[in-house]
Amino acid sequence: EKLCETAAAILRKCNKGEGVRQQLYSTDLPASLKPQLQAIVLGVQREEKLLREVAKESNIMNRVQTAWLRPDDNMFLVLLYEVLLGSRRVRGTSDLIQCVKECKADLQRCLSELRKKGQAQNY
């Protein structure tokens, strides 16, 4: 969960104009986790449009409470990336994480349908 929170914080800072590399190297995470953190941050930036489309198509936004997305939706995007394109699993106990875990099958099914239609890249 700390890795996802750190990734969301880095994305938040990058949206304000600060560099990704600078943020990655200034984190207090162990060096062994930094490659994974970099993969998450760059992956979310690269696939943001797809992640938002899958969230919209799967209707997960109807289940997500607005309070869970404070101060922004970067944590949500990180969790979607991890479930769909990253490690395929998320750990943690927050309400947002539990919601994403419960909707995981629907999210993956939606991504698969987008890939079949040619609207999303296959990996």
Side-chain angles (χ1 to χ4, degrees):
E1 192 170 358
K2 177 150 174 62
L3 187 65
C4 291
E5 289 171 356
T6 304
I10 289 174
L11 286 166
R12 202 169 294 119
K13 290 177 182 176
C14 291
N15 290 341
K16 293 179 181 176
E18 297 183 30
V20 175
R21 281 185 194 258
Q22 179 183 354
Q23 295 304 314
L24 288 170
Y25 291 118
S26 66
T27 61
D28 61 345
L29 287 176
S32 60
L33 290 178
K34 289 190 180 182
Q36 187 178 3
L37 177 64
Q38 181 178 1
I40 293 170
V41 170
L42 296 177
V44 170
Q45 285 182 326
R46 184 179 59 247
E47 302 294 343
E48 182 176 359
K49 182 179 176 186
L50 174 64
L51 296 172
R52 290 187 187 282
E53 187 173 347
V54 170
K56 182 178 144 198
E57 293 286 326
S58 68
N59 292 322
I60 190 174
M61 295 309 293
N62 294 337
R63 299 183 67 183
V64 174
Q65 295 178 16
T66 308
W68 298 347
L69 300 178
R70 303 255 188 259
D72 53 33
D73 63 350
N74 284 321
M75 180 66 164
F76 182 60
L77 291 173
V78 167
L79 294 174
L80 288 178
Y81 177 80
E82 278 294 279
V83 165
L84 296 171
L85 305 170
S87 67
R88 307 286 199 276
R89 62 182 176 191
V90 290
R91 297 183 187 122
T93 57
S94 74
D95 292 331
L96 182 59
I97 291 173
Q98 293 305 318
C99 180
V100 171
K101 283 181 182 179
E102 291 168 7
C103 297
K104 181 178 176 179
D106 290 335
L107 290 165
Q108 290 175 331
R109 193 174 311 113
C110 183
L111 176 61
S112 175
E113 289 171 9
L114 288 174
R115 286 179 172 164
K116 286 178 187 175
K117 293 177 188 174
Q119 296 173 346
Q121 182 180 0
N122 288 325
Y123 289 92

